[in-house]
């Protein structure tokens, strides 16, 4: 499975960005697709996840109410809509695919290349 992440950029605090994660060949209905982020000097952390088949969504407390994960089955793409961005959201964002819901990066076996999100104050 090849994952292609895109949509990062530079935005002012309070602004919005939408990240995309496209899968060549599509996602299995049993898959879980997640977004993680990693800031300089910090560990990679869970942001949000969606069960591809059911569409159930899960969020880290730090982004709940600001970020929305969604999917477009026809395009085999998962989106992360990020609103009310804060400087502490600055990180490289990665999408990943796993066989089950997990909050640890090690449980995901396919990763996209990462896209930089920078939020200025």
């Amino acid at each position: 499975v090849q994952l292609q992440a895109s949509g990062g950029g530079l935005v002012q605090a309070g602004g919005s960005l939408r990240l995309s994660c496209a899968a060549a060949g599509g996602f299995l209905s049993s898959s879980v697709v997640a977004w993680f982020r990693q800031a300089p000097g910090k560990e990679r952390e869970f942001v949000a996840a969606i069960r591809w088949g059911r569409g159930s969504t899960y969020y880290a407390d730090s982004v709940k109410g600001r970020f929305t994960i969604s999917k477009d089955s026809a395009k085999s793409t998962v989106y992360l809509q990020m609103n009310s961005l804060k400087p502490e959201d600055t990180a490289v964002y990665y999408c990943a695919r796993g066989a089950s819901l997990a909050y640890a990066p090690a449980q995901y076996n396919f990763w996209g290349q990462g896209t930089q999100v920078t939020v200025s104050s």
Side-chain angles (χ1 to χ4, degrees), residues 65-112:
R66 299 189 298 123
F67 291 10
T68 302
I69 190 170
S70 62
K71 67 183 178 97
D72 185 330
S73 299
K75 296 182 179 179
S76 296
T77 300
V78 171
Y79 301 101
L80 185 68
Q81 178 67 43
M82 306 186 295
N83 298 329
S84 303
L85 282 162
K86 304 175 182 179
E88 50 263 44
D89 294 318
T90 296
V92 177
Y93 283 70
Y94 299 89
C95 63
R97 195 215 78 174
S100 59
L101 176 65
Y103 299 99
Q107 301 305 312
Y108 291 82
N109 46 7
F110 295 99
W111 290 83

Side-chain angles (χ1 to χ4, degrees), residues 6 13 17-18 28 34 49 56 58 62-63 65 83 89 93 107 110-111 113-114 117:
S6 61
L17 282 174
R18 189 178 78 160
L28 296 175
S56 307
Y58 309 85
S62 58
V63 306
N83 298 329
D89 294 318
Y93 283 70
Q107 301 305 312
F110 295 99
W111 290 83
Q113 83 284 10
V117 171

Side-chain angles (χ1 to χ4, degrees), residues 26-51:
F27 293 107
L28 296 175
S29 61
S30 58
S31 297
V32 173
V33 183
W35 287 96
F36 287 80
R37 66 186 181 187
Q38 188 165 20
K42 294 189 176 182
E43 293 186 350
R44 195 167 296 190
E45 64 174 0
F46 173 84
V47 176
I50 186 166
R51 294 188 186 273

